[in-house]
Amino acid sequence: LIETNENYRRQGLATQVMHLLTNDAVENGATIGLLCASDQGKPLYETLGWHVIGQYSRMVKVTI
């Protein structure tokens, strides 16, 4: 989970992080990217050119 502190949102920090991560991945030979986005993060990723290809479901194991 990556999240920006509320006091620092809407300043382009997440965009910078995504550009750095994407550039690093490409420089290391990546040709396909896959990420799981929260509802809050989805608009950012779409702005950066990512496209929804399906839904992700979370499974949690609880030991009782």
Side-chain angles (χ1 to χ4, degrees):
L1 172 67
I2 298 174
E3 184 175 290
T4 303
N5 181 293
E6 191 173 322
N7 296 328
Y8 298 95
R9 291 182 185 160
R10 309 297 307 160
Q11 296 181 28
L13 300 173
T15 297
Q16 289 180 26
V17 168
M18 285 302 297
H19 283 306
L20 289 169
L21 292 172
T22 301
N23 291 341
D24 186 63
V26 169
E27 288 172 7
N28 284 288
T31 58
I32 296 173
L34 177 66
L35 62 80
C36 297
S38 65
D39 290 336
Q40 296 87 358
K42 186 174 171 259
L44 167 69
Y45 302 129
E46 290 177 329
T47 298
L48 296 174
W50 293 79
H51 304 280
V52 175
I53 59 169
Q55 297 297 316
Y56 174 75
S57 204
R58 194 174 316 168
M59 296 173 61
V60 178
K61 178 182 176 184
V62 177
T63 304
I64 301 176

